[in-house]
């Protein structure tokens, strides 16, 4: 059974909001044969532009479920974040089921987690495509232009001043981020 820690930033968490969030997040419990003892951390934020963000984090012994969603309506944000979490659980459960069938653990396929099946963070990830790129020396502004020209969400380049490999990326808010690397 989940316990809940519902917090609000720039918003008073009323009984109605708390009950709604707990009711929605509790729907995730149906995906578990034995509902684990876990705390669901629900963080609700309201921004000056009147958008509302719902973040839910549920750390379990074998998996951390986390999602966030921002919309103009707080209740819609809660609904969408729970939908994301349901997709995460289904994906994980499918992966566990497939792994247990491949390894011949028929009885374990009905359980969510088996000791012999590694959690997703430890499973082997299949690389389906490999690509080699030549890194051209440039500044971060030129890298952003190149990224936009290519229609990508990130771009790797060599910084012309430091000669280090850096990455520019498009953030969810539409602005840009820069990851600077340093040799050790």
């Amino acid at each position: 059974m989940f316990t809940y820690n519902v917090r609000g930033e720039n918003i008073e968490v009323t009984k109605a909001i708390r009950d709604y969030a707990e009711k929605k997040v509790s729907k995730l419990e149906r995906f578990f044969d034995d509902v684990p003892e876990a705390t669901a951390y629900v963080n609700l934020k309201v921004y000056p532009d009147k958008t509302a963000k719902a973040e839910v984090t549920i750390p379990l012994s074998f998996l951390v479920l986390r999602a966030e969603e921002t919309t103009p309506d707080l209740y819609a944000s809660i609904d969408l974040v729970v939908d994301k979490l349901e997709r995460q659980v289904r994906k994980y459960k499918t992966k566990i089921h497939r792994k247990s069938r491949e390894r011949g653990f028929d009885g374990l396929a009905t359980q969510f987690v088996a000791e012999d099946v590694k959690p997703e963070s430890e499973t082997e990830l299949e690389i389906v495509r490999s690509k080699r790129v030549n890194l051209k020396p440039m500044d971060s502004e030129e890298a952003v232009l190149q990224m936009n020209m290519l229609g990508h969400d990130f771009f790797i380049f060599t910084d012309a001043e430091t000669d280090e490999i850096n990455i520019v990326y498009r953030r969810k808010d539409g602005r840009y981020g820069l990851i600077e690397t340093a040799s050790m």
Side-chain angles (χ1 to χ4, degrees):
M1 177 94 166
F2 293 156
T3 55
Y4 297 91
N5 181 351
V6 183
R7 255 184 57 216
E9 292 183 29
N10 301 330
I11 183 176
E12 179 186 342
V13 179
T14 63
K15 181 170 176 16
I17 293 171
R18 179 180 304 280
D19 290 345
Y20 188 82
E22 289 179 7
K23 178 183 172 192
K24 287 295 186 173
V25 174
S26 71
K27 290 182 178 183
L28 297 172
E29 293 177 9
R30 74 176 191 259
F31 290 101
F32 302 94
D33 290 337
D34 296 317
V35 179
E37 291 293 325
T39 301
Y41 298 95
V42 181
N43 193 19
L44 308 171
K45 297 179 186 177
V46 176
Y47 295 104
D49 65 357
K50 303 296 183 213
T51 57
K53 179 179 187 178
E55 297 176 14
V56 177
T57 305
I58 307 172
L60 303 170
S61 60
F62 49 88
L63 171 72
V64 174
L65 297 172
R66 186 182 184 295
E68 61 183 57
E69 192 65 51
T70 304
T71 68
D73 178 32
L74 179 63
Y75 291 94
S77 294
I78 294 169
D79 291 343
L80 291 171
V81 83
V82 170
D83 290 344
K84 278 185 177 181
L85 290 169
E86 280 186 18
R87 284 192 298 274
Q88 287 179 20
V89 171
R90 281 194 179 104
K91 179 181 174 186
Y92 184 75
K93 197 168 184 177
T94 300
K95 186 177 279 190
I96 293 297
H97 192 278
R98 181 178 44 81
K99 288 273 188 194
S100 64
R101 274 196 329 247
E102 288 173 0
R103 295 181 182 180
F105 300 121
D106 295 331
L108 298 177
T110 59
Q111 297 176 7
F112 194 156
V113 168
E115 289 182 24
D116 296 326
V117 181
K118 295 179 183 175
E120 186 173 15
S121 62
E122 297 177 20
T123 59
E124 297 175 31
L125 298 176
E126 180 184 4
I127 297 175
V128 295
R129 183 175 179 207
S130 180
K131 188 175 185 178
R132 180 176 295 272
V133 294
N134 293 323
L135 302 180
K136 176 184 166 193
M138 61 180 75
D139 61 18
S140 57
E141 288 80 16
E142 184 180 349
V144 168
L145 292 172
Q146 289 286 330
M147 176 182 69
N148 288 334
M149 234 172 37
L150 294 169
H152 292 171
D153 292 324
F154 70 94
F155 188 79
I156 304 169
F157 66 101
T158 301
D159 187 292
E161 290 181 22
T162 64
D163 206 35
E164 297 288 341
I165 297 172
N166 291 347
I167 302 167
V168 290
Y169 62 95
R170 187 179 344 276
R171 295 168 40 97
K172 287 183 183 179
D173 62 8
R175 298 185 307 182
Y176 301 101
L178 171 67
I179 299 173
E180 298 177 306
T181 63
S183 300
M184 295 187 136

